[in-house]
């Protein structure tokens, strides 16, 4: 399926696993590291609930065209972070109307500043998210749920919608697209059932399929495979990879380390609201800071249930890259001071 | 961190996508529902026809009760309320907006129309002013509340409707609204009556006997029920479209719709404005055969509108009209039956009328318990209350 596509697709360089490896190889494993071609750049996003700081991200970049996993223990702030950058919540550090913008939250998607836009505007910009607690439209059929996802529907314009011929043609196209996605998500036979009658896992699938109806540039999945049976997970992971190979950027939250290791090109680790590590899956899982965050003091338990912890070369490479990055920063800093002095 | 991977994933891939088995199930269910709708319709028509025949051919207490039931069913004010119910259905049934002040929209439409006419505006302009007043009112209510949680709209609409009613009664505004006396129909009715091509004289059809034109005759009945038909068609055209799908999506979960990149606020506003304008149109029809009385479109009216909607079935196309007709005619039936059965020294006419409201209240309770989806609603939808 998707693998066969990778070799034929020549338009997207990121479809080639070797190219992805080469790319991630150049990125140091430092939290908040800058990426060669970031699609999402986040600065100073802080969210406090009362006295508790749920999210505190100084700087984060998400590379275009890769599958990036956002992992972290329960309550790390992953969902809150998703809510913040998709416009469903506002950072405590948001730019006040009159105050200075220094240190204020700002984030840009695909070159567009999104700090003050609404959730629907964020989605229209091409960054579409799903919810950890699924939001299926219960008293509507599965097919209707799907068709709501399609963009640019002329029939959604109040002035012309009562004229059926103005939207009938488009409706057919959308329906075909919806059915195709539904069959891929094994929901086609449920298409005329109410979404409220679906099981928990099926709702997860429906929500993901519905998000894909929007043809997003970047899709943000909050625990997409929680409750989905393993065989279907396998095939959907293939689908996500195919999407990446077609040029979509994927950012997903997941607790299942198998899945993270299996499909992610890059992993960002969050704990207590902060980004504590970045890197490739096996490198990050060997990071002591990550293990600490996940397991507290129980260092003897391994993170990814097989012998990855012993994969020390990865860890070494990580330190090497970190050192290289520090050197780079120091060099840049020196250059900057030199410039100033001139 | 480890999860149990099944030993043989292939065993789990039994989700064959063959549609046939399920499709026949769905077809069967649809057919059953269609059959039920047909039976309900035939039964309603049959009961109506029976009452019609009895009322026309016989005389006595029962035929006269039937005659008054039929008269209240075709009353222009029943049609007026039906139009307002259609508007509320758009708000609540399809968009999930809790508007508890639909009577306020009616009153505003009635005032706008009546005042404009008394100031010399031609009929179409006066109607447009009534509708525009409701549209502006909807915008004013919607801007601060539609971004908030649903309950806020409920609180704001009920209080705003009361504010309009009290403002209309202000003695300082007597020149405009007639204060607590209201505006007599004779001040604004003439341009509408003048449009009639029904001629003078009166016509009797079965148990119904009215002037052809007159103040409250066949003309206003014909116009009112034509408007009901047109508005029902309008609502049908709107809700079957992708725009209507958007409304229902918003009713189910606003955030999900936002995440799909739709402008939820704008769509909710459109729904609020259109439903409010339907309310205003209802208000205009309501006062044409009567007078503008602030108190006739108060909280009680909002209650009738809601009851009619729930009775007929929210989020259905014909539910609002059926519900309204049922609501008004069943009450007359109860009143008539009470008057006939209970001796007048136990319950006099006025008490029988009050008793009929009590029974309507009980029926509403039974309805909510045993048939919460209304007469035409779909029970299966209710199983998935969000
Ligand atoms: N609305 C809220 N009010 C108060 N506290 C909140 C709210 N939302 C989240 N929090 C707190 O913020 C922290 C981060 O929550 P969040 O849902 O982002 O975690 P998460 O990383 O998604 O966890 P999980 O993996 O369990 O989904 C938690 O401690 C949570 O209690
Ligand atoms: Mg979460």
């Amino acid at each position: 399926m998707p693998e066969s596509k990778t070799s034929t697709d020549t338009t997207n360089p990121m479809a080639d696993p070797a190219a992805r490896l080469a790319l991630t190889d150049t990125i140091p494993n430092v939290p908040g590291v800058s990426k060669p071609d970031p699609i999402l750049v986040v600065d100073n996003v802080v969210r406090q609930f009362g006295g508790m700081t749920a999210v505190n991200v100084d700087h984060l970049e998400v590379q275009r065209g890769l599958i990036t996993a956002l992992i972290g223990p329960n309550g790390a702030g992953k969902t809150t972070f998703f809510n913040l950058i998709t416009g469903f919540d506002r950072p405590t550090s948001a730019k006040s109307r009159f105050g200075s913008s220094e240190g204020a939250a700002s984030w840009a998607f695909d070159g567009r500043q999104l700090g003050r836009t609404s959730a629907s505007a964020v989605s229209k910009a091409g960054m579409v998210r799903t919810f950890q607690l699924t939001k299926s439209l219960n008293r509507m059929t599965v097919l209707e749920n799907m068709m709501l996802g399609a963009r640019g529907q002329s029939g959604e314009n109040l002035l012309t919608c009562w004229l059926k011929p103005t939207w009938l043609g488009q409706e057919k196209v959308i329906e075909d697209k919806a059915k195709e996605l539904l069959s891929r998500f094994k929901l086609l036979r449920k298409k005329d059932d109410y979404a409220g009658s679906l099981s928990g896992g099926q709702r997860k699938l429906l929500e993901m399929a519905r998000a894909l109806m929007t043809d997003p540039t970047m899709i943000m999945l909050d625990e997409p495979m929680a409750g989905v049976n393993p065989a279907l997970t396998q095939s959907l992971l293939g689908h996500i990879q195919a999407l990446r190979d077609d040029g979509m950027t994927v950012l997903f939250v997941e607790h299942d380390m198998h899945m993270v290791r299996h499909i992610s090109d890059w992993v960002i680790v969050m704990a207590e609201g902060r980004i504590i590590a970045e890197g490739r899956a096996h490198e990050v899982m060997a990071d002591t800071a990550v293990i600490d965050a996940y397991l507290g003091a129980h260092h003897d338990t391994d993170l990814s249930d097989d012998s990855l912890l012993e994969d020390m070369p990865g860890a070494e490479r990580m330190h090497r890259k970190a050192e290289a990055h520090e050197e780079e920063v120091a060099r840049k800093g020196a250059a900057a001071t030199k410039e100033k002095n001139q | 961190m480890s999860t149990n991977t099944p030993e043989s994933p292939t065993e789990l891939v039994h989700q064959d996508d063959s549609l046939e088995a399920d499709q026949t199930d769905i077809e069967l269910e649809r057919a059953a529902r269609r059959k039920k709708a047909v039976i309900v319709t035939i039964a309603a028509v049959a009961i109506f026809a029976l009452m019609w025949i009895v009322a026309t051919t016989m005389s006595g207490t029962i035929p006269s009760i039937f005659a008054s039931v039929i008269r209240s069913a075709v009353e222009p004010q029943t049609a007026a309320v039906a139009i307002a119910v259609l508007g509320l259905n758009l708000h609540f049934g399809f968009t999930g907006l809790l508007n508890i002040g639909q009577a306020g929209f009616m009153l505003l439409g009635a005032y706008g129309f009546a005042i404009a006419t008394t100031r010399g505006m031609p009929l179409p302009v006066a109607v447009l002013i009534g509708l525009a007043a409701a549209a502006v009112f909807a915008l004013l209510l919607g801007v601060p509340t539609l971004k908030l949680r649903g309950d806020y709209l409920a609180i704001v609409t009920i209080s705003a409707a009361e504010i309009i009613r009290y403002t209309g009664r202000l003695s300082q505004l007597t020149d405009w609204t007639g204060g607590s006396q209201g505006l007599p129909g004779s001040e604004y009715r003439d341009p509408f009556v003048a449009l009639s091509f029904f001629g003078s004289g009166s016509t009797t059809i079965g148990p119904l006997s009215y002037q052809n034109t007159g103040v409250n005759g066949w003309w206003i009945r014909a116009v009112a029920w034509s408007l009901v038909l047109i508005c029902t068609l309008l609502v049908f055209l709107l809700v079957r479209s992708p725009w209507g799908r958007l409304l229902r999506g918003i009713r189910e979960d606003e955030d999900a719709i936002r995440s799909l990149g739709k402008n939820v606020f704008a769509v909710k506003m459109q729904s609020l404005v259109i439903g409010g304008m339907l309310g205003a149109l209802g208000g205009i029809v309501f006062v044409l055969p009567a007078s503008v009385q602030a108190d006739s479109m108060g909280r009680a009216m909002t209650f009738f509108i809601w009851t009619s909607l729930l009775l007929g079935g929210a989020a259905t196309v014909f539910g609002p009209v059926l519900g309204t007709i049922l609501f008004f005619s069943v009450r007359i039936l109860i009143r008539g039956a009470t008057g006939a059965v209970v001796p007048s020294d136990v319950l006099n006419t006025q008490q029988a009328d009050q008793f009929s409201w009590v029974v309507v209240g009980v029926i509403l309770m039974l309805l909510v318990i045993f048939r919460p989806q209304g007469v035409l609603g779909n029970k299966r939808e209710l199983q998935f209350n969000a």
Side-chain angles (χ1 to χ4, degrees):
Chain A
M1 286 171 359
E3 276 71 20
S4 61
K5 221 171 182 177
T6 54
S7 51
T8 54
D9 194 336
T10 48
T11 51
N12 178 25
M14 286 302 116
D16 178 13
R20 292 198 299 273
L21 275 180
L23 178 84
T24 48
D25 215 33
T26 64
I27 308 174
N29 291 5
V30 177
V33 66
S34 63
K35 310 285 185 324
D37 180 16
I39 190 168
L40 176 70
V41 182
V42 180
D43 279 299
N44 303 320
V45 169
V46 180
R47 179 66 166 105
Q48 284 163 333
F49 293 109
M52 200 271 288
T53 305
V55 170
N56 184 359
V57 173
D58 300 330
H59 185 80
L60 178 69
E61 295 184 6
V62 176
Q63 169 67 24
R64 185 190 307 272
L66 294 188
I67 299 179
T68 305
L70 178 63
I71 64 170
N74 291 121
K78 306 176 297 289
T79 299
T80 310
F81 180 68
F82 264 33
N83 288 344
L84 289 169
I85 58 176
T86 50
F88 283 90
D89 194 359
R90 272 175 64 73
T92 325
S93 59
K95 195 167 105 187
S96 69
R97 240 171 255 269
F98 308 108
S100 75
S101 59
E102 202 174 314
S106 73
W107 60 101
F109 173 72
D110 222 358
R112 278 181 55 181
Q113 285 296 324
L114 288 178
R116 266 208 176 274
T117 32
S118 64
S120 60
V122 169
S123 168
K124 262 188 217 143
M127 182 159 71
V128 180
R129 58 90 54 96
T130 65
F131 296 88
Q132 180 173 9
L133 301 172
T134 47
K135 295 188 180 294
S136 51
L137 309 168
N138 289 345
R139 285 180 292 172
M140 298 174 80
T141 67
V142 168
L143 190 63
E144 283 177 316
N145 266 264
M146 291 294 287
M147 293 178 71
L148 266 169
R151 299 267 202 220
Q153 297 189 43
S154 56
E156 287 180 355
N157 182 341
L158 175 61
L159 296 178
T160 53
C161 71
W162 51 281
L163 292 166
K164 196 169 180 178
T166 61
W167 47 262
L168 194 59
Q170 195 184 22
E171 191 84 347
K172 291 229 169 77
V173 176
I174 294 170
E175 189 176 331
D176 288 343
K177 182 177 167 190
K179 281 183 182 160
E180 197 186 311
L181 269 170
L182 282 177
S183 87
R184 204 193 274 261
F185 282 77
K186 299 278 182 279
L187 284 173
L188 189 55
R189 48 191 273 168
K190 292 270 179 195
K191 74 178 167 50
D192 293 314
D193 286 9
Y194 284 112
S197 72
L198 295 183
S199 73
Q202 288 170 330
R203 287 179 202 212
K204 279 266 160 197
L205 295 175
L206 174 61
E207 183 154 296
M208 195 168 142
R210 191 175 64 196
L212 288 175
M213 282 294 289
T214 63
D215 292 327
T217 321
M218 169 162 149
I219 189 162
M220 302 174 58
L221 307 165
D222 200 342
E223 303 196 16
M225 297 305 167
V228 175
N229 80 61
L232 190 52
T233 303
Q234 283 299 322
S235 102
L236 291 179
L237 292 187
H239 185 49
I240 293 178
Q241 286 171 315
L243 292 172
R244 184 255 334 263
D245 295 343
D246 290 343
M248 196 182 291
T249 308
V250 181
L251 177 66
F252 74 102
V253 171
E254 188 53 64
H255 286 297
D256 180 352
M257 292 303 162
H258 287 285
M259 176 174 160
V260 170
R261 231 182 42 236
H262 183 57
I263 70 161
S264 56
D265 302 307
W266 193 256
V267 177
I268 298 169
V269 188
M270 211 172 173
E272 292 171 8
R274 295 182 169 278
I275 309 293
I276 57 160
E278 281 192 52
R280 288 190 206 145
H282 57 282
E283 295 166 355
V284 149
M285 284 172 198
D287 189 331
T288 46
V290 177
I291 299 166
D292 274 347
Y294 265 95
L295 304 168
H298 303 285
H299 279 205
D300 49 329
T301 323
D302 63 6
L303 261 188
S304 53
D305 97 322
D306 39 23
S307 54
L308 264 174
L309 268 184
E310 285 132 40
D311 187 13
M312 277 317 173
E316 265 168 31
R317 194 190 75 89
M318 191 177 73
H319 291 304
R320 207 180 62 229
K321 274 165 74 177
E323 276 164 21
H325 177 74
E326 268 161 31
E327 271 171 27
E328 166 106 0
V329 169
R331 215 185 57 234
K332 271 187 190 159
T337 39
K338 220 166 115 191
E339 240 169 59
K340 235 188 236 164
N341 295 342
Q342 277 175 356
Chain B
M1 281 304 126
S2 69
T3 42
N4 295 324
T5 326
E7 300 311 317
S8 52
T10 41
E11 267 182 22
L12 296 165
V13 201
H14 272 314
Q15 290 193 317
D16 66 303
D17 253 352
S18 69
L19 289 165
E20 292 125 51
D22 291 272
Q23 211 139 45
T24 48
D25 272 5
I26 290 156
E27 301 272 275
L28 277 177
E29 200 202 297
R30 280 206 186 129
R33 266 182 62 197
R34 227 174 290 139
K35 203 167 139 194
K36 204 164 132 198
V38 170
I39 291 173
V40 168
T41 316
I42 290 175
V45 171
I47 291 172
F48 197 78
L50 187 73
M51 284 165 66
W52 182 283
I53 291 165
V54 170
T56 324
T57 56
M58 294 187 236
S59 58
T61 326
I62 291 177
S64 81
I65 293 174
F66 284 178
S68 59
V69 168
I70 290 172
R71 274 197 296 275
S72 84
V74 299
E75 195 72 8
Q77 299 202 326
T78 305
V81 174
I83 295 172
V85 177
L86 281 166
L88 181 68
N89 192 29
L90 207 55
H91 287 163
F92 175 72
F94 288 102
T95 324
L97 299 175
L98 268 175
N99 168 13
I100 320 193
Q102 185 69 337
F105 286 97
M106 286 180 82
L107 187 56
L108 209 56
Y111 272 135
F113 166 73
I115 293 172
T117 311
T118 53
R119 308 275 138 168
M121 302 283 178
L123 181 74
V125 178
V127 170
L128 285 181
I129 287 177
L131 297 182
V136 171
F137 185 58
L139 286 173
L140 286 178
L141 296 187
V143 165
T145 52
L146 288 185
K147 289 208 167 156
L148 303 172
R149 243 187 26 233
D151 335 21
Y152 290 94
L153 183 70
I155 297 163
V156 168
T157 45
I158 193 166
S159 20
E162 284 298 279
I163 290 171
I164 291 182
R165 189 166 69 86
Y166 279 112
T167 311
R169 288 169 51 100
L170 280 181
S171 56
Q172 287 88 336
L173 291 178
T174 306
D175 283 349
W176 292 83
T177 63
S180 54
Q181 295 292 311
L183 294 166
S186 55
E187 284 190 15
Y188 55 82
R189 180 189 300 134
D190 295 341
F192 172 75
V193 175
L195 276 184
S196 170
F197 50 85
F198 280 24
S200 54
S202 58
T203 306
T204 301
I205 304 175
L208 306 171
S209 177
Y210 303 108
Q211 287 181 301
N212 285 350
T213 299
V215 167
N216 190 357
W218 286 110
W219 170 239
I220 174 72
R221 278 172 180 69
V223 172
W225 287 102
S226 306
L227 284 174
V228 170
L229 219 66
I230 292 169
C231 292
T232 308
L233 182 70
L234 175 81
V235 170
F236 166 72
L237 289 177
L238 288 177
V239 300
R240 72 160 179 182
S241 74
W243 184 79
R245 183 166 63 210
L246 204 47
L247 290 191
R248 285 177 293 134
I250 289 170
R251 175 191 74 193
E252 295 302 304
D253 197 318
E254 279 185 45
D255 279 346
I257 304 300
R258 265 192 205 107
S259 78
L260 297 172
K262 317 280 177 178
N263 191 342
V264 169
F265 179 75
V267 176
K268 277 163 88 176
M269 188 61 96
Q270 290 167 354
S271 165
L272 190 66
V273 168
I274 295 177
M277 284 165 74
L278 284 173
L281 185 65
I284 295 171
V285 173
F286 192 81
V287 297
L288 271 175
S291 58
V292 184
Q293 293 285 346
D295 291 343
S296 69
M297 283 169 273
R299 283 161 309 195
M301 176 58 84
T302 297
F303 168 74
F304 299 162
I305 294 172
W306 270 95
T307 309
S308 304
L309 178 64
L310 298 181
L311 189 61
T316 61
V317 172
F318 293 107
V321 179
L322 183 72
T324 314
I325 295 175
L326 271 180
F327 175 74
F328 283 101
S329 45
V330 165
R331 193 187 75 83
I332 298 298
L333 184 66
I334 295 166
R335 193 184 66 183
T338 314
V341 173
V342 183
S344 58
D345 51 339
V346 179
L347 283 178
N348 64 28
T349 321
Q350 197 197 343
Q351 287 165 329
D353 192 51
Q354 286 164 351
F355 178 74
S356 72
W357 287 117
V358 173
V359 177
V360 164
V362 173
I363 291 177
L364 183 62
M365 281 197 264
L366 294 178
L367 181 83
V368 170
I369 296 167
F370 292 108
R371 201 171 165 82
Q373 74 275 30
V375 175
L376 293 180
N378 177 359
K379 179 128 198 183
R380 267 185 63 212
E381 281 197 350
L382 277 192
Q383 294 166 352
F384 316 117
N385 262 329

